[in-house]
Amino acid sequence: QVQLVESGGGSVQAGGSLRLSCAASGYPSSGRCMGWFRQAPGKEREGVATIDRNGSTSYADSVKGRFTISKDNSKNTLYLQMNSLKPEDTAMYYCAARGAWLTACSAYLGPGEYRYWGQGTQVTVSS
């Protein structure tokens, strides 16, 4: 089993920065595809960024150049550094992990491709 807990959300002004963390427990996440998703009210959950077992990353076009996904395997923690935040980034952000041995890892994989989910952390960006 893998348990994921997000933290670091909050309210910021447009142009500001925020770093989200996702602590994994129960089983190491280093060998899995890990991703960040977000969901705004009335919208479908969308992929934001992913990082695979080798550290290769993938980003949605909407966040390229502004967001950076990273991980610390020793701490079993995933991060999402968000810079130059825009009001349209406002959403509940979720950490997710694919099942073990599933190699495909892309920001464009749908949420149904992920087995484990955190509870979410709210990010609100005001203009």
Side-chain angles (χ1 to χ4, degrees):
Q1 292 184 316
V2 176
Q3 292 81 45
L4 305 173
V5 180
E6 304 96 333
S7 62
S11 298
V12 298
Q13 294 183 329
S17 298
L18 202 62
R19 188 179 77 162
L20 306 183
S21 298
C22 172
S25 63
Y27 195 84
S29 60
S30 60
R32 301 175 183 269
C33 169
M34 303 290 294
W36 286 97
F37 283 77
R38 65 186 183 186
Q39 187 168 24
K43 301 283 188 177
E44 293 187 351
R45 190 168 298 189
E46 63 175 347
V48 175
T50 61
I51 186 166
D52 71 10
R53 66 182 68 186
N54 297 315
S56 294
T57 59
S58 174
Y59 298 93
D61 288 341
S62 60
V63 306
K64 286 181 179 177
R66 300 189 297 119
F67 290 11
T68 302
I69 187 172
S70 62
K71 61 179 179 179
D72 185 334
N73 289 333
S74 67
K75 297 180 179 179
N76 211 23
T77 301
L78 180 73
Y79 303 98
L80 183 67
Q81 178 66 48
M82 304 184 292
N83 298 325
S84 301
L85 284 163
K86 303 175 180 180
E88 48 263 48
D89 294 319
T90 296
M92 184 74 76
Y93 282 71
Y94 298 90
C95 174
R98 297 200 74 194
W101 310 111
L102 298 177
T103 302
C105 198
S106 167
Y108 293 96
L109 287 176
E113 301 295 333
Y114 291 78
R115 181 175 181 179
Y116 304 100
W117 293 87
Q119 84 289 347
T121 185
Q122 179 67 39
V123 172
T124 302
V125 184
S126 61
S127 60

